[in-house]
Amino acid sequence: MTVVLDGCAVVTMDGDRSEHAVGHVVVEGARIAAVGEGPAPRLPDATYVDGTGCLATPGLVNTHHHLYQWLTRGSAVDHTLFEWLTTLYPVWAGLDEDTVRVGATGALVQLARTGCTTTTDHHYVFPAGGGDLLGAEIEAARSVGLRFLPTRGSMDLGRSRGGLPPDHVVEEIDAILAATADAVDRHHEPSPDSMLRVGVAPCSPFSVTGDLMKQAAGLARDKGVRLHTHLAETTDEDDFCREKFGCSPVEYVESLGWLGPDVWFAHGIHLDDAAVAALAGSGTGVAHCPSSNARLGAGISRTRDLHDAGVPVGLGVDGAASNEAASLVEELRHSVLFARAVGGPRALTVRDGLELATIGGARVLGWDDRIGSLEPSKLADVALWRVDTAAHAGIKDPVAALVLGTPPPLELLLVQGRAVVRRDTMVDVDEERLAVDVRAASGTLLDRAVGR
Ligand SMILES: [Zn+2]
């Protein structure tokens, strides 16, 4: 099956950052066959999509999320991270397979509708008797049609041992390691065309023991999968590490074997120059989540410095409980605006922002050999944005229209060459039905919290 996007502006994000004012993208099956300037060749049996008035970009890559939080949006709306977490832990304690499936579907649909073709997820709440929560979100990603890198998260440092989460939402270390190994063995698909890879992701320094961090790193390296956690998000976390371990968060995780090209951290806000150099020197990546960081008043990541130092940086929406919009294209806009707000007008260009959202994110996830740019032989993950609407008409540079303008409608979103969004509507998901299911599941979680 051949699909040809024709007559659109094309931003490839290839090594030369090639762009075509009027160009084409030819997709054959799961892969990109050709990208170029001018009209597409006439090919037998191909389906042509008229891209006039549109901009084709690589599908956006989301490098940090907690999909289940779609069901707990709008709680603790004026709180710090630690206050917000202690409000929400008891609600999350009611998660089970059904609620996770519905919440994940809601979050994944929002990602798809905002240009995302690949997302990770960091699921770290596994209440006793909750069932196969990772399996439930993998099923959701299949039904929506996105490429997926779920991570098996965990918490083993409950309140009684000096951690932040209540004891009833943490697990024992042996059970965590066994379940994590099982998740990788059952679900991880290492093949070149993989739609599903699995990672290992203890939650954060204040909810996980050093012992679990060390053993999780060993497990991930044995299995050849990636490592992820939250790091350097707030000054509270920085204080926690300095009091408890006598060093910065980055020094702490370095002592546990947690720096390297197979590791990426969510946030990376409170980093001094030595920490930036340690990330750069080790090839450790950062998932920058500007809206969530602003929502929780955590600060603004040193995106420009990280980028200039050579640290792989991608964008993340973070969990929807701290970013109710959960719109990846809006993170693109916020990354550029926030960087300039602290670093001046040249801190991040619109094309730098698009780079973070595409090939940058692919690097962070260790997937840039297959996705993140529009190049022959790469997997066909493509966003085709309408930049000729009344809201965008007259903006000459289509990248400026995408990054600085109101989020454009999606004419088409292809994942692995398959249409997931067409004319701003989900192809395989009934969105009205989904809204009903999300409302019900969200109510169920709140009822369970009240009942406990
Ligand atoms: Zn997070």
Side-chain angles (χ1 to χ4, degrees):
M1 166 126 175
T2 303
V3 177
V4 181
L5 314 185
D6 201 12
C8 44
V10 182
V11 174
T12 64
M13 285 295 154
D14 65 9
D16 299 328
R17 300 291 182 261
S18 311
E19 298 187 12
H20 308 293
V22 180
H24 60 271
V25 180
V26 179
V27 171
E28 274 174 14
R31 288 175 186 273
I32 295 169
V35 181
E37 182 78 34
R42 302 321 290 177
L43 299 167
D45 303 323
T47 303
Y48 283 77
V49 176
D50 180 5
T52 309
C54 295
L55 166 67
T57 69
L60 308 187
V61 177
N62 182 47
T63 59
H64 186 61
H65 209 325
H66 312 285
L67 297 175
Y68 70 90
Q69 290 182 10
W70 192 254
L71 300 178
T72 57
R73 287 171 294 157
S75 296
V77 294
D78 300 315
H79 297 57
T80 69
L81 173 71
F82 279 22
E83 292 163 355
W84 172 90
L85 279 169
T86 47
T87 305
L88 282 162
Y89 283 136
V91 184
W92 297 337
L95 288 169
D96 61 9
E97 284 179 23
D98 288 339
T99 47
V100 165
R101 187 182 306 105
V102 173
T105 305
L108 289 161
V109 164
Q110 175 67 353
L111 285 175
R113 302 274 267 101
T114 59
C116 174
T117 49
T118 295
T119 186
T120 186
D121 186 51
H122 185 182
H123 191 103
Y124 56 84
V125 187
F126 290 88
D132 181 7
L133 304 190
L134 211 71
E137 64 171 353
I138 287 170
E139 198 184 314
R142 279 208 183 98
S143 72
V144 173
L146 293 195
R147 195 180 305 284
F148 197 30
L149 198 166
T151 59
R152 207 299 181 178
S154 49
M155 301 189 288
D156 72 332
L157 187 63
R159 206 163 289 156
S160 64
R161 298 171 65 199
L164 190 71
D167 290 347
H168 65 272
V169 296
V170 306
E171 302 172 276
E172 293 295 329
I173 185 166
D174 291 344
I176 289 169
L177 292 166
T180 305
D182 180 60
V184 175
D185 292 343
R186 279 170 60 204
H187 300 297
H188 183 66
E189 292 169 12
S191 69
D193 288 2
S194 177
M195 287 286 288
L196 180 64
R197 293 180 177 178
V198 176
V200 173
C203 187
S204 63
F206 51 84
S207 60
V208 171
T209 60
D211 194 18
L212 174 55
M213 291 289 283
K214 267 192 213 157
Q215 294 201 51
L219 169 65
R221 284 165 181 151
D222 278 351
K223 302 272 183 195
V225 300
R226 298 183 75 75
L227 277 167
H228 180 49
T229 193
H230 293 100
L231 203 76
E233 180 175 4
T234 62
T235 50
D236 285 344
E237 178 197 326
D238 200 74
D239 294 345
F240 180 94
C241 288
R242 287 180 196 281
E243 266 164 42
K244 201 156 165 146
F245 314 118
C247 59
S248 75
V250 168
E251 288 165 338
Y252 172 56
V253 295
E254 185 173 18
S255 75
L256 303 170
W258 266 75
L259 290 185
D262 55 346
V263 182
W264 86 104
F265 298 132
H267 307 303
I269 298 171
H270 300 282
L271 302 173
D272 56 20
D273 289 347
V276 172
L279 297 185
S282 58
T284 309
V286 168
H288 173 42
C289 307
S291 298
S292 167
N293 298 156
R295 155 75 155 86
L296 292 166
I300 300 176
S301 175
R302 299 171 59 185
T303 328
R304 180 81 253 167
D305 296 338
L306 290 166
H307 189 267
D308 289 349
V311 175
V313 181
L315 297 182
V317 298
D318 200 359
S322 63
N323 177 4
E324 279 71 5
S327 156
L328 191 51
V329 70
E330 286 184 42
E331 297 311 304
L332 171 49
R333 181 164 182 256
H334 289 159
S335 69
V336 170
L337 297 183
F338 292 6
R340 293 183 190 183
V342 291
R346 273 181 268 285
L348 217 60
T349 69
V350 292
R351 281 165 175 78
D352 290 337
L354 188 57
E355 180 182 324
L356 301 185
T358 55
I359 192 71
R363 263 183 89 197
V364 167
L365 299 186
W367 224 329
D368 50 319
D369 59 334
R370 302 285 165 192
I371 60 171
S373 59
L374 302 180
E375 296 178 73
S377 88
K378 276 207 165 176
L379 296 170
D381 292 4
V382 188
L384 188 66
W385 310 88
R386 277 235 84 87
V387 287
D388 61 354
T389 70
H392 305 94
I395 304 179
K396 290 213 167 38
D397 176 0
V399 179
L402 172 67
V403 177
L404 299 177
T406 198
L410 273 173
E411 181 64 22
L412 187 67
L413 186 77
L414 297 178
V415 181
Q416 198 93 325
R418 230 181 117 259
V420 170
V421 180
R422 191 177 277 131
R423 304 233 158 95
D424 228 26
T425 304
M426 294 300 297
V427 173
D428 291 328
V429 179
D430 177 342
E431 292 172 77
E432 283 182 25
R433 176 76 233 168
L434 175 62
V436 172
D437 292 347
V438 165
R439 207 171 296 124
S442 185
T444 299
L445 274 190
L446 284 178
D447 290 347
R448 283 178 188 162
V450 171
R452 243 188 315 274

